[in-house]
């Protein structure tokens, strides 16, 4: 049985944008917590949606 992960792509993009704003505005502790949450989700996305993972990882890096 192959259970594919479903995820909210738009929600994850919004979370990445929030992380960037927190970091840019100097809220480093909050940004770090947000980044940890994003990285956990990206690890799950990588397993079932490798193409999406690459796009989201690139967005995080920008």
């Amino acid at each position: 049985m192959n259970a594919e992960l479903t995820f909210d792509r738009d929600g994850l993009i919004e979370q990445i944008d929030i992380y960037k704003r927190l970091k840019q505005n100097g809220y480093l502790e909050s940004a770090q917590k947000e980044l940890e949450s994003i990285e956990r989700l990206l690890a799950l996305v990588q397993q079932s949606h490798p193409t999406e993972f690459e796009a989201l990882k690139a967005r995080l890096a920008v």
Side-chain angles (χ1 to χ4, degrees):
M1 180 177 181
N2 186 8
E4 185 172 306
L5 170 73
T6 59
F7 71 102
D8 180 4
R9 183 181 188 280
D10 292 335
L12 189 50
I13 288 171
E14 184 175 331
Q15 193 172 1
I16 290 170
D17 292 343
I18 290 168
Y19 158 73
K20 288 179 178 181
R21 283 194 302 274
L22 288 169
K23 185 177 175 186
Q24 181 180 22
N25 291 324
Y27 298 103
L28 301 181
E29 190 173 322
S30 295
Q32 182 59 37
K33 289 178 183 176
E34 202 66 37
L35 180 59
E36 290 169 3
S37 175
I38 291 167
E39 287 176 338
R40 282 192 300 273
L41 290 171
L42 283 176
L44 296 172
V45 170
Q46 183 179 23
Q47 295 173 8
S48 60
H49 301 283
T51 305
E52 285 293 329
F53 168 78
E54 292 301 327
L56 291 166
K57 190 74 172 173
R59 184 178 186 99
L60 183 60
V62 172

